[in-house]
Amino acid sequence: YNDYVNKGKRPTDAKPFMDNVYYGCNIQLGYYGTAYGNALYYDLSPHAGYKFTEALSAGVQVIYNNTSYSGLTRVNYNIFGIGAFGRALILDRFFLQAEFDALSIPANWLNNTIVSRQISEEKMVGLGYKSPLGDKLGYFFVLLYDIQPAYYSPYFYSPLIYRAGLSWNF
């Protein structure tokens, strides 16, 4: 083998495929007041990624979050979708993230005039931080900005999105 191409490693020295795979889940819980009453929000969104190098990775995710408003009436909004992301480690624990999500937005989302579910395409960029909790387990925080939210996007009124979660092998 060409040492220049393989960086001096024989094929048997390369990491097995599964050593480059990582898993995780966004885990959020929030409670806040609005003009319409109080809201309880939660997000459970699992993801899987692949590390091409120690600094570059990409992955896919399944997104699910729920917002429950209670006031004069009680309303639940279930948002679900899929997404893809890329990450670039810029310092020891900090990384840049670009993400594209396709979210299914429920009818009458925040009293908009949506008659049936709509797909909202979210294009986000941001900065993240990761830290270990052991040999393979770790936690992460990501602050993203939706660069072009649609009118019925869940991020239209607040395009700054934060995420927190746990990961394995990231």
Side-chain angles (χ1 to χ4, degrees):
Y1 271 79
N2 182 334
D3 286 341
Y4 176 76
V5 172
N6 294 308
K7 308 276 190 261
K9 294 182 180 180
R10 296 185 317 250
T12 55
D13 294 337
K15 282 182 169 181
F17 177 82
M18 291 307 292
D19 285 356
N20 291 320
V21 174
Y22 61 93
Y23 308 93
C25 188
N26 299 332
I27 304 167
Q28 290 178 257
L29 180 63
Y31 182 81
Y32 54 93
T34 69
Y36 305 106
N38 297 319
L40 175 65
Y41 170 86
Y42 64 89
D43 179 354
L44 293 171
S45 300
H47 65 265
Y50 183 80
K51 295 184 277 188
F52 299 104
T53 69
E54 289 301 312
L56 294 174
S57 69
V60 294
Q61 59 188 348
V62 176
I63 300 161
Y64 175 75
N65 60 57
N66 176 279
T67 302
S68 177
Y69 288 101
S70 60
L72 296 175
T73 61
R74 186 171 182 92
V75 181
N76 279 316
Y77 294 111
N78 290 301
I79 296 174
F80 53 87
I82 57 173
F85 60 88
R87 292 176 175 166
L89 197 61
I90 54 173
L91 292 172
D92 183 37
R93 295 184 180 184
F94 290 92
F95 59 92
L96 297 175
Q97 181 165 319
E99 184 174 321
F100 176 81
D101 297 336
L103 302 177
S104 176
I105 308 301
N108 202 26
W109 168 249
L110 295 179
N111 296 322
N112 289 338
T113 56
I114 299 172
V115 177
S116 62
R117 278 196 171 269
Q118 297 290 317
I119 299 298
S120 180
E121 295 179 347
E122 310 302 330
K123 299 159 218 66
M124 299 175 280
V125 294
L127 180 67
Y129 174 81
K130 67 176 188 166
S131 185
L133 288 172
D135 186 35
K136 297 275 187 178
L137 184 65
Y139 64 91
F140 63 90
F141 297 101
V142 183
L143 185 60
L144 297 166
Y145 182 77
D146 191 342
I147 57 177
Q148 192 180 21
Y151 177 66
Y152 47 83
S153 164
Y155 313 126
F156 182 76
Y157 296 106
S158 180
L160 209 53
I161 302 106
Y162 71 92
R163 296 202 178 130
L166 296 173
S167 64
W168 182 262
N169 201 32
F170 171 50

mmCIF file of all heavy atoms in Angstrom, residues 10-43:
data_model
loop_
_atom_site.group_PDB
_atom_site.id
_atom_site.type_symbol
_atom_site.label_atom_id
_atom_site.label_comp_id
_atom_site.label_asym_id
_atom_site.label_seq_id
_atom_site.Cartn_x
_atom_site.Cartn_y
_atom_site.Cartn_z
ATOM 1 N N ARG A 10 -1.425 0.096 7.715
ATOM 2 C CA ARG A 10 -1.860 -1.035 6.897
ATOM 3 C C ARG A 10 -3.374 -1.148 7.008
ATOM 4 O O ARG A 10 -3.965 -0.675 7.969
ATOM 5 C CB ARG A 10 -1.200 -2.324 7.408
ATOM 6 C CG ARG A 10 0.312 -2.323 7.258
ATOM 7 C CD ARG A 10 0.864 -3.667 7.679
ATOM 8 N NE ARG A 10 0.236 -4.149 8.892
ATOM 9 C CZ ARG A 10 0.838 -4.243 10.071
ATOM 10 N NH1 ARG A 10 2.079 -3.911 10.192
ATOM 11 N NH2 ARG A 10 0.193 -4.681 11.119
ATOM 12 N N PRO A 11 -4.039 -1.784 6.045
ATOM 13 C CA PRO A 11 -5.496 -1.916 6.114
ATOM 14 C C PRO A 11 -5.985 -2.558 7.407
ATOM 15 O O PRO A 11 -7.038 -2.214 7.913
ATOM 16 C CB PRO A 11 -5.841 -2.777 4.904
ATOM 17 C CG PRO A 11 -4.705 -2.577 3.959
ATOM 18 C CD PRO A 11 -3.499 -2.340 4.819
ATOM 19 N N THR A 12 -5.231 -3.467 7.994
ATOM 20 C CA THR A 12 -5.677 -4.120 9.229
ATOM 21 C C THR A 12 -5.598 -3.182 10.428
ATOM 22 O O THR A 12 -6.194 -3.451 11.456
ATOM 23 C CB THR A 12 -4.841 -5.382 9.515
ATOM 24 O OG1 THR A 12 -3.454 -5.009 9.545
ATOM 25 C CG2 THR A 12 -5.079 -6.440 8.453
ATOM 26 N N ASP A 13 -4.838 -2.072 10.291
ATOM 27 C CA ASP A 13 -4.737 -1.104 11.385
ATOM 28 C C ASP A 13 -5.913 -0.124 11.395
ATOM 29 O O ASP A 13 -6.096 0.606 12.356
ATOM 30 C CB ASP A 13 -3.443 -0.293 11.277
ATOM 31 C CG ASP A 13 -2.215 -1.155 11.484
ATOM 32 O OD1 ASP A 13 -2.355 -2.222 12.120
ATOM 33 O OD2 ASP A 13 -1.133 -0.766 11.008
ATOM 34 N N ALA A 14 -6.682 -0.069 10.326
ATOM 35 C CA ALA A 14 -7.807 0.859 10.241
ATOM 36 C C ALA A 14 -8.877 0.462 11.252
ATOM 37 O O ALA A 14 -9.046 -0.706 11.582
ATOM 38 C CB ALA A 14 -8.389 0.861 8.831
ATOM 39 N N LYS A 15 -9.626 1.476 11.711
ATOM 40 C CA LYS A 15 -10.710 1.211 12.658
ATOM 41 C C LYS A 15 -11.834 0.433 11.975
ATOM 42 O O LYS A 15 -12.152 0.710 10.828
ATOM 43 C CB LYS A 15 -11.298 2.522 13.158
ATOM 44 C CG LYS A 15 -10.517 3.236 14.195
ATOM 45 C CD LYS A 15 -11.314 4.482 14.566
ATOM 46 C CE LYS A 15 -10.797 5.159 15.782
ATOM 47 N NZ LYS A 15 -11.621 6.337 16.101
ATOM 48 N N PRO A 16 -12.458 -0.482 12.690
ATOM 49 C CA PRO A 16 -13.647 -1.130 12.140
ATOM 50 C C PRO A 16 -14.753 -0.090 11.933
ATOM 51 O O PRO A 16 -14.803 0.928 12.622
ATOM 52 C CB PRO A 16 -14.059 -2.132 13.221
ATOM 53 C CG PRO A 16 -12.825 -2.350 14.032
ATOM 54 C CD PRO A 16 -12.052 -1.065 13.959
ATOM 55 N N PHE A 17 -15.640 -0.339 10.984
ATOM 56 C CA PHE A 17 -16.719 0.580 10.631
ATOM 57 C C PHE A 17 -17.497 1.035 11.861
ATOM 58 O O PHE A 17 -17.742 2.224 12.053
ATOM 59 C CB PHE A 17 -17.662 -0.100 9.627
ATOM 60 C CG PHE A 17 -18.843 0.743 9.254
ATOM 61 C CD1 PHE A 17 -18.732 1.727 8.290
ATOM 62 C CD2 PHE A 17 -20.068 0.550 9.879
ATOM 63 C CE1 PHE A 17 -19.819 2.525 7.948
ATOM 64 C CE2 PHE A 17 -21.162 1.342 9.542
ATOM 65 C CZ PHE A 17 -21.037 2.324 8.577
ATOM 66 N N MET A 18 -17.904 0.121 12.709
ATOM 67 C CA MET A 18 -18.748 0.456 13.863
ATOM 68 C C MET A 18 -18.031 1.338 14.886
ATOM 69 O O MET A 18 -18.686 2.017 15.668
ATOM 70 C CB MET A 18 -19.288 -0.805 14.531
ATOM 71 C CG MET A 18 -20.316 -1.542 13.683
ATOM 72 S SD MET A 18 -21.684 -0.508 13.117
ATOM 73 C CE MET A 18 -22.522 -0.171 14.643
ATOM 74 N N ASP A 19 -16.704 1.352 14.878
ATOM 75 C CA ASP A 19 -15.983 2.249 15.791
ATOM 76 C C ASP A 19 -16.141 3.714 15.393
ATOM 77 O O ASP A 19 -15.873 4.609 16.187
ATOM 78 C CB ASP A 19 -14.499 1.896 15.834
ATOM 79 C CG ASP A 19 -14.222 0.645 16.642
ATOM 80 O OD1 ASP A 19 -15.179 0.096 17.243
ATOM 81 O OD2 ASP A 19 -13.061 0.195 16.676
ATOM 82 N N ASN A 20 -16.542 3.959 14.147
ATOM 83 C CA ASN A 20 -16.738 5.323 13.664
ATOM 84 C C ASN A 20 -18.198 5.770 13.729
ATOM 85 O O ASN A 20 -18.512 6.896 13.385
ATOM 86 C CB ASN A 20 -16.236 5.453 12.232
ATOM 87 C CG ASN A 20 -14.728 5.337 12.167
ATOM 88 O OD1 ASN A 20 -14.021 5.864 13.014
ATOM 89 N ND2 ASN A 20 -14.238 4.629 11.178
ATOM 90 N N VAL A 21 -19.098 4.882 14.141
ATOM 91 C CA VAL A 21 -20.519 5.210 14.236
ATOM 92 C C VAL A 21 -20.810 5.745 15.637
ATOM 93 O O VAL A 21 -20.283 5.243 16.619
ATOM 94 C CB VAL A 21 -21.384 3.964 13.939
ATOM 95 C CG1 VAL A 21 -22.862 4.245 14.174
ATOM 96 C CG2 VAL A 21 -21.155 3.496 12.508
ATOM 97 N N TYR A 22 -21.627 6.787 15.714
ATOM 98 C CA TYR A 22 -22.062 7.283 17.019
ATOM 99 C C TYR A 22 -23.574 7.444 17.029
ATOM 100 O O TYR A 22 -24.219 7.580 15.990
ATOM 101 C CB TYR A 22 -21.352 8.584 17.413
ATOM 102 C CG TYR A 22 -21.555 9.758 16.506
ATOM 103 C CD1 TYR A 22 -22.575 10.678 16.741
ATOM 104 C CD2 TYR A 22 -20.709 9.990 15.432
ATOM 105 C CE1 TYR A 22 -22.744 11.778 15.928
ATOM 106 C CE2 TYR A 22 -20.868 11.085 14.614
ATOM 107 C CZ TYR A 22 -21.887 11.983 14.863
ATOM 108 O OH TYR A 22 -22.054 13.067 14.051
ATOM 109 N N TYR A 23 -24.136 7.405 18.228
ATOM 110 C CA TYR A 23 -25.574 7.487 18.441
ATOM 111 C C TYR A 23 -25.853 8.542 19.498
ATOM 112 O O TYR A 23 -25.013 8.806 20.341
ATOM 113 C CB TYR A 23 -26.145 6.159 18.963
ATOM 114 C CG TYR A 23 -25.770 4.974 18.133
ATOM 115 C CD1 TYR A 23 -24.649 4.206 18.440
ATOM 116 C CD2 TYR A 23 -26.532 4.620 17.039
ATOM 117 C CE1 TYR A 23 -24.307 3.117 17.681
ATOM 118 C CE2 TYR A 23 -26.204 3.524 16.272
ATOM 119 C CZ TYR A 23 -25.087 2.770 16.590
ATOM 120 O OH TYR A 23 -24.747 1.692 15.827
ATOM 121 N N GLY A 24 -27.041 9.079 19.459
ATOM 122 C CA GLY A 24 -27.397 10.048 20.476
ATOM 123 C C GLY A 24 -28.872 10.366 20.431
ATOM 124 O O GLY A 24 -29.626 9.817 19.621
ATOM 125 N N CYS A 25 -29.277 11.269 21.319
ATOM 126 C CA CYS A 25 -30.675 11.676 21.369
ATOM 127 C C CYS A 25 -30.751 13.073 21.977
ATOM 128 O O CYS A 25 -30.141 13.330 23.016
ATOM 129 C CB CYS A 25 -31.479 10.697 22.211
ATOM 130 S SG CYS A 25 -33.256 10.995 22.135
ATOM 131 N N ASN A 26 -31.469 13.977 21.278
ATOM 132 C CA ASN A 26 -31.790 15.267 21.877
ATOM 133 C C ASN A 26 -32.826 15.002 22.962
ATOM 134 O O ASN A 26 -33.803 14.297 22.736
ATOM 135 C CB ASN A 26 -32.403 16.212 20.844
ATOM 136 C CG ASN A 26 -31.474 16.497 19.701
ATOM 137 O OD1 ASN A 26 -30.263 16.464 19.839
ATOM 138 N ND2 ASN A 26 -32.050 16.780 18.544
ATOM 139 N N ILE A 27 -32.603 15.557 24.119
ATOM 140 C CA ILE A 27 -33.515 15.379 25.245
ATOM 141 C C ILE A 27 -33.787 16.759 25.824
ATOM 142 O O ILE A 27 -32.887 17.379 26.391
ATOM 143 C CB ILE A 27 -32.903 14.463 26.324
ATOM 144 C CG1 ILE A 27 -32.498 13.125 25.727
ATOM 145 C CG2 ILE A 27 -33.866 14.290 27.474
ATOM 146 C CD1 ILE A 27 -31.628 12.287 26.631
ATOM 147 N N GLN A 28 -35.000 17.261 25.637
ATOM 148 C CA GLN A 28 -35.331 18.577 26.139
ATOM 149 C C GLN A 28 -36.663 18.557 26.860
ATOM 150 O O GLN A 28 -37.565 17.790 26.506
ATOM 151 C CB GLN A 28 -35.430 19.579 24.993
ATOM 152 C CG GLN A 28 -34.101 19.904 24.368
ATOM 153 C CD GLN A 28 -34.275 20.860 23.224
ATOM 154 O OE1 GLN A 28 -34.218 20.452 22.085
ATOM 155 N NE2 GLN A 28 -34.490 22.125 23.529
ATOM 156 N N LEU A 29 -36.773 19.404 27.833
ATOM 157 C CA LEU A 29 -38.012 19.599 28.560
ATOM 158 C C LEU A 29 -38.064 21.071 28.934
ATOM 159 O O LEU A 29 -37.101 21.614 29.471
ATOM 160 C CB LEU A 29 -38.051 18.725 29.817
ATOM 161 C CG LEU A 29 -39.297 18.822 30.684
ATOM 162 C CD1 LEU A 29 -40.527 18.353 29.902
ATOM 163 C CD2 LEU A 29 -39.126 17.978 31.934
ATOM 164 N N GLY A 30 -39.176 21.712 28.622
ATOM 165 C CA GLY A 30 -39.298 23.133 28.922
ATOM 166 C C GLY A 30 -40.702 23.506 29.344
ATOM 167 O O GLY A 30 -41.673 22.829 28.991
ATOM 168 N N TYR A 31 -40.823 24.565 30.097
ATOM 169 C CA TYR A 31 -42.110 25.075 30.540
ATOM 170 C C TYR A 31 -42.021 26.594 30.491
ATOM 171 O O TYR A 31 -41.068 27.180 30.997
ATOM 172 C CB TYR A 31 -42.400 24.601 31.970
ATOM 173 C CG TYR A 31 -43.745 25.055 32.483
ATOM 174 C CD1 TYR A 31 -44.900 24.362 32.136
ATOM 175 C CD2 TYR A 31 -43.853 26.169 33.293
ATOM 176 C CE1 TYR A 31 -46.137 24.774 32.589
ATOM 177 C CE2 TYR A 31 -45.086 26.585 33.764
ATOM 178 C CZ TYR A 31 -46.225 25.890 33.404
ATOM 179 O OH TYR A 31 -47.456 26.288 33.848
ATOM 180 N N TYR A 32 -42.999 27.230 29.853
ATOM 181 C CA TYR A 32 -42.963 28.681 29.761
ATOM 182 C C TYR A 32 -44.377 29.226 29.624
ATOM 183 O O TYR A 32 -45.315 28.527 29.271
ATOM 184 C CB TYR A 32 -42.084 29.150 28.600
ATOM 185 C CG TYR A 32 -42.443 28.540 27.264
ATOM 186 C CD1 TYR A 32 -43.323 29.174 26.398
ATOM 187 C CD2 TYR A 32 -41.882 27.323 26.866
ATOM 188 C CE1 TYR A 32 -43.651 28.615 25.172
ATOM 189 C CE2 TYR A 32 -42.203 26.765 25.645
ATOM 190 C CZ TYR A 32 -43.083 27.422 24.796
ATOM 191 O OH TYR A 32 -43.404 26.866 23.589
ATOM 192 N N GLY A 33 -44.528 30.519 29.907
ATOM 193 C CA GLY A 33 -45.811 31.195 29.774
ATOM 194 C C GLY A 33 -45.898 31.937 28.452
ATOM 195 O O GLY A 33 -44.895 32.432 27.950
ATOM 196 N N THR A 34 -47.079 31.979 27.880
ATOM 197 C CA THR A 34 -47.323 32.716 26.642
ATOM 198 C C THR A 34 -48.544 33.604 26.836
ATOM 199 O O THR A 34 -49.201 33.553 27.880
ATOM 200 C CB THR A 34 -47.585 31.768 25.452
ATOM 201 O OG1 THR A 34 -48.850 31.128 25.640
ATOM 202 C CG2 THR A 34 -46.488 30.723 25.324
ATOM 203 N N ALA A 35 -48.876 34.384 25.820
ATOM 204 C CA ALA A 35 -50.071 35.229 25.871
ATOM 205 C C ALA A 35 -51.339 34.386 25.942
ATOM 206 O O ALA A 35 -52.374 34.848 26.400
ATOM 207 C CB ALA A 35 -50.113 36.141 24.648
ATOM 208 N N TYR A 36 -51.263 33.119 25.507
ATOM 209 C CA TYR A 36 -52.434 32.238 25.479
ATOM 210 C C TYR A 36 -52.549 31.349 26.719
ATOM 211 O O TYR A 36 -53.512 30.634 26.882
ATOM 212 C CB TYR A 36 -52.389 31.348 24.233
ATOM 213 C CG TYR A 36 -52.265 32.138 22.964
ATOM 214 C CD1 TYR A 36 -51.057 32.177 22.287
ATOM 215 C CD2 TYR A 36 -53.342 32.860 22.456
ATOM 216 C CE1 TYR A 36 -50.936 32.906 21.121
ATOM 217 C CE2 TYR A 36 -53.227 33.596 21.296
ATOM 218 C CZ TYR A 36 -52.018 33.616 20.627
ATOM 219 O OH TYR A 36 -51.890 34.349 19.478
ATOM 220 N N GLY A 37 -51.534 31.353 27.545
ATOM 221 C CA GLY A 37 -51.528 30.482 28.715
ATOM 222 C C GLY A 37 -50.139 29.930 28.949
ATOM 223 O O GLY A 37 -49.145 30.545 28.589
ATOM 224 N N ASN A 38 -50.073 28.740 29.512
ATOM 225 C CA ASN A 38 -48.790 28.105 29.800
ATOM 226 C C ASN A 38 -48.519 27.007 28.781
ATOM 227 O O ASN A 38 -49.442 26.410 28.238
ATOM 228 C CB ASN A 38 -48.798 27.516 31.206
ATOM 229 C CG ASN A 38 -48.966 28.593 32.247
ATOM 230 O OD1 ASN A 38 -48.372 29.656 32.134
ATOM 231 N ND2 ASN A 38 -49.792 28.342 33.244
ATOM 232 N N ALA A 39 -47.246 26.725 28.582
ATOM 233 C CA ALA A 39 -46.867 25.712 27.609
ATOM 234 C C ALA A 39 -45.836 24.767 28.214
ATOM 235 O O ALA A 39 -44.911 25.189 28.908
ATOM 236 C CB ALA A 39 -46.297 26.362 26.362
ATOM 237 N N LEU A 40 -46.010 23.490 27.945
ATOM 238 C CA LEU A 40 -45.041 22.455 28.294
ATOM 239 C C LEU A 40 -44.496 21.912 26.982
ATOM 240 O O LEU A 40 -45.263 21.557 26.085
ATOM 241 C CB LEU A 40 -45.704 21.332 29.095
ATOM 242 C CG LEU A 40 -44.825 20.126 29.428
ATOM 243 C CD1 LEU A 40 -43.702 20.550 30.366
ATOM 244 C CD2 LEU A 40 -45.648 19.020 30.052
ATOM 245 N N TYR A 41 -43.175 21.866 26.868
ATOM 246 C CA TYR A 41 -42.525 21.442 25.633
ATOM 247 C C TYR A 41 -41.562 20.303 25.947
ATOM 248 O O TYR A 41 -40.845 20.352 26.940
ATOM 249 C CB TYR A 41 -41.755 22.624 25.036
ATOM 250 C CG TYR A 41 -40.849 22.258 23.896
ATOM 251 C CD1 TYR A 41 -41.338 22.193 22.602
ATOM 252 C CD2 TYR A 41 -39.506 21.977 24.110
ATOM 253 C CE1 TYR A 41 -40.509 21.857 21.538
ATOM 254 C CE2 TYR A 41 -38.669 21.643 23.065
ATOM 255 C CZ TYR A 41 -39.170 21.585 21.781
ATOM 256 O OH TYR A 41 -38.356 21.250 20.737
ATOM 257 N N TYR A 42 -41.542 19.283 25.090
ATOM 258 C CA TYR A 42 -40.505 18.261 25.208
ATOM 259 C C TYR A 42 -40.094 17.782 23.832
ATOM 260 O O TYR A 42 -40.841 17.877 22.866
ATOM 261 C CB TYR A 42 -40.929 17.089 26.098
ATOM 262 C CG TYR A 42 -42.091 16.276 25.599
ATOM 263 C CD1 TYR A 42 -41.898 15.184 24.766
ATOM 264 C CD2 TYR A 42 -43.390 16.582 25.975
ATOM 265 C CE1 TYR A 42 -42.960 14.430 24.312
ATOM 266 C CE2 TYR A 42 -44.457 15.838 25.543
ATOM 267 C CZ TYR A 42 -44.235 14.758 24.708
ATOM 268 O OH TYR A 42 -45.297 14.015 24.260
ATOM 269 N N ASP A 43 -38.866 17.309 23.755
ATOM 270 C CA ASP A 43 -38.271 16.847 22.499
ATOM 271 C C ASP A 43 -37.475 15.584 22.786
ATOM 272 O O ASP A 43 -36.636 15.564 23.686
ATOM 273 C CB ASP A 43 -37.356 17.935 21.945
ATOM 274 C CG ASP A 43 -36.660 17.565 20.638
ATOM 275 O OD1 ASP A 43 -36.786 16.410 20.180
ATOM 276 O OD2 ASP A 43 -35.983 18.437 20.075
#
